[in-house]
């Protein structure tokens, strides 16, 4: 729920917490946060996703599915590049 909070600091903390104990269920939230309007939240989510894909490449497919919902967002290019790299 913290990843949906109105405060960017709370969303950023949620990203870090998800990154510490990443589960496949977190991917849809991380993808959504990778296009967040707050640059720090986006950067944190992209770091977590990049690390996750490096350690567990199988997570890319569920992330691609989640990305379909946010691909038209203003900040989606970096997230899409990371997922498809």
């Amino acid at each position: 729920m913290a990843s949906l909070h109105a405060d960017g600091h709370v969303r950023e903390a949620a990203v870090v917490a998800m990154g510490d104990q990443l589960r496949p269920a977190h991917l849809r939230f991380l993808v959504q946060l990778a296009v967040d309007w707050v640059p720090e939240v986006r950067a944190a989510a992209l770091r977590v996703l990049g690390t996750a894909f490096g350690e567990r490449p199988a997570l890319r497919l569920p992330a691609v599915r989640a990305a379909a919902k946010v691909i038209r967002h203003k900040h989606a290019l970096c997230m899409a590049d990371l997922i498809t790299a």
Side-chain angles (χ1 to χ4, degrees), residues 8-60:
H9 296 288
V10 175
R11 291 193 309 278
E12 184 179 7
V15 169
V16 172
M18 284 186 273
D20 288 343
Q21 296 183 345
L22 186 65
R23 293 182 169 80
H26 295 152
L27 287 176
R28 67 183 180 121
F29 297 105
L30 289 168
V31 167
Q32 181 177 348
L33 292 164
V35 298
D36 196 275
W37 68 275
V38 176
E40 294 82 4
V41 175
R42 282 196 314 270
L46 290 169
R47 276 193 305 274
V48 169
L49 288 170
T51 300
F53 298 154
E55 294 173 357
R56 297 163 61 186
L59 292 177
R60 283 184 193 272

Side-chain angles (χ1 to χ4, degrees), residues 59-73:
L59 292 177
R60 283 184 193 272
L61 182 58
V64 168
R65 290 182 186 130
K69 295 182 180 182
V70 297
I71 200 65
R72 294 184 190 265
H73 193 277

